[in-house]
Amino acid sequence: NDVERLRLTRKLNMNIFLAQLIESTNDTWGVDLFEVDALSNHRPLTHVALHLFKQRNILKQFQIRELTFFKFISAIEAKYRNNPYHNNIHATDVLQASHHMLNFSVFKNVFTELEVFAALFAAAVHDVDHPGVTNQYLINTNSDLAILYNDESVLENHHVTLAFQTLSTEGCDVLSTLNRKQHQMFRKMVISVVLATDMSKHIQHIGHLKTMVEIRRLSSSASSIIDPENAEDKLQILQSLVHCSDLSNPLKPLNLYLQWTDRIMEEFFRQGDLEKSLNLEVSPLCDRENSNICKSQMGFIDYVVHPLWEIWSRLTQPDCQPIMDILESNRVWIASQVLTEDDKHDGDDDGDDDKDDDDGDDDVIR
Ligand SMILES: COc1ccc(C2=NN(C(C)C)C(=O)[C@@H]3CC=CC[C@H]23)cc1C#CC(=O)NCc1ccccc1
Ligand SMILES: [Mg+2]
Ligand SMILES: [Zn+2]
């Protein structure tokens, strides 16, 4: 009947739209993964990972059965929690950004298939089972995870361990066709890339990249920036590539960036709520009652994101320029909101300008 036909047509159109969106992950920066999440019955990671691994011919190269990969990535996706920010959509976002940047011309003929496999695998699993609180919170609350990992990169150690444990789930061993040497190298690379997403390593990333750019500038062979024979350098680049992807929200189209900002702040605020209920000191940025989202996003861009991406873009020129342009335009927009916020607050000037008023005006950036 008509209703049934209408329903089927709608379903068909959704699947066609989903297929087009997933196809665009091949070569587009800033795919709307919230849309992919909505159209894929909340399985964006499985859909995008399967597509990208097939598109890169990784499954064929390592004789990995599609069903095995499907079972593994589905099991991983199911272990991502429904946090506002650290969820399966974020994992898909980091995977797709990493895939995009591996295609930069400066990396042509640099990485082996195994290195590409390891980097994308690491991106897909890098936050699995994230509890929605920071390492510091886990340490301050004497959590089992902090005890287990002795306060050192607690979350990141947990993500890697759980990823490799998932391989031993029935029918999920995507590494079964690797030989001993490949398996050993793959495991070393995935462990180091996921552990390198700990923000406490952020400054080290910037240092390594600066050194690499300096050497490129000084060395006569400016063209071949990365020595494909230097496994250590290549591993450091893969670590920075996934870390940059993890910090790529402010370099995405504004409507996507603002959704990520809302989400991370809600996750921080929930942690603040927990800290209040436990009579712990509320972490910076986590106080729902006293936060200024636009001002702190300016700080996040100026002190965390831009310093990293500025040096990364110098290493990866010219392909990074369009992405850096998005960061610049987003920063201008955020700055305009801060001004609007200040203007509005000046209206009801209570003589105490530096006090961060409640973020009622922050609805503006939603
Ligand atoms: C889309 O926004 C965000 C997206 C992500 C993060 C993350 N922060 N951190 C640390 C830096 C607290 C993490 O370890 C998270 C886990 C791994 C990577 C980055 C994650 C923060 C923000 C923010 C913000 C925001 O408005 N002011 C917060 C802020 C302001 C100035 C300086 C630092 C933070
Ligand atoms: Mg993480
Ligand atoms: Zn992450």
Side-chain angles (χ1 to χ4, degrees), residues 201-239:
K201 313 292 186 220
H202 179 68
I203 303 300
Q204 289 164 34
H205 282 279
I206 294 176
H208 290 147
L209 289 170
K210 279 195 168 136
T211 309
M212 225 170 268
V213 168
E214 263 319 289
I215 291 172
R216 173 185 183 188
R217 204 173 57 78
L218 297 176
S219 73
S220 55
S221 63
S223 60
S224 64
I225 164 175
I226 298 142
D227 172 10
E229 302 313 311
N230 187 328
E232 273 319 299
D233 271 7
K234 289 200 285 181
L235 186 54
Q236 264 168 18
I237 287 173
L238 292 178
Q239 287 167 5

Side-chain angles (χ1 to χ4, degrees), residues 85-86 199 246-247 249 261 264-265 285 296-297 299-300 304:
Y85 184 91
H86 284 107
M199 274 305 290
D246 206 19
L247 287 177
N249 295 156
T261 297
I264 191 75
M265 294 321 283
L285 316 161
S296 65
Q297 264 304 316
F300 183 55
V304 178

Side-chain angles (χ1 to χ4, degrees), residues 85-86 90 126-127 130 134-135 155-156 197-200 202 243 246-250 257-265 267-268 284-285 292-305:
Y85 184 91
H86 284 107
H90 167 67
H126 88 280
D127 274 333
H130 197 295
T134 61
N135 279 328
L155 285 166
E156 294 73 21
T197 60
D198 179 352
M199 274 305 290
S200 69
H202 179 68
H243 178 49
D246 206 19
L247 287 177
S248 64
N249 295 156
Y257 170 36
L258 294 181
Q259 290 180 69
W260 290 120
T261 297
D262 281 348
R263 288 166 172 270
I264 191 75
M265 294 321 283
E267 197 167 299
F268 284 166
L285 316 161
N292 185 316
I293 293 189
C294 278
K295 275 211 180 92
S296 65
Q297 264 304 316
M298 290 277 284
F300 183 55
I301 291 174
D302 293 347
Y303 301 118
V304 178
V305 175

Side-chain angles (χ1 to χ4, degrees), residues 84 132 261-277 281-293 356-363 366:
T261 297
D262 281 348
R263 288 166 172 270
I264 191 75
M265 294 321 283
E266 178 52 31
E267 197 167 299
F268 284 166
F269 292 158
R270 289 183 187 180
Q271 176 174 314
D273 298 345
L274 281 173
E275 288 164 337
K276 281 175 194 163
S277 67
E281 191 189 336
V282 178
S283 304
L285 316 161
C286 295
D287 187 350
R288 198 183 284 285
E289 308 307 321
N290 181 15
S291 89
N292 185 316
I293 293 189
D356 269 342
D357 295 298
D358 77 285
D359 58 2
D361 300 298
D362 287 307
D363 303 333
R366 272 165 180 62

Side-chain angles (χ1 to χ4, degrees), residues 95-122:
L95 168 66
Q96 201 264 330
S98 300
H99 158 78
H100 186 88
M101 295 199 284
L102 277 169
N103 287 339
F104 281 173
S105 53
V106 72
F107 297 138
K108 197 162 175 45
N109 305 324
V110 169
F111 298 112
T112 65
E113 288 101 347
L114 191 70
E115 286 164 340
V116 170
F117 180 15
L120 295 180
F121 180 101

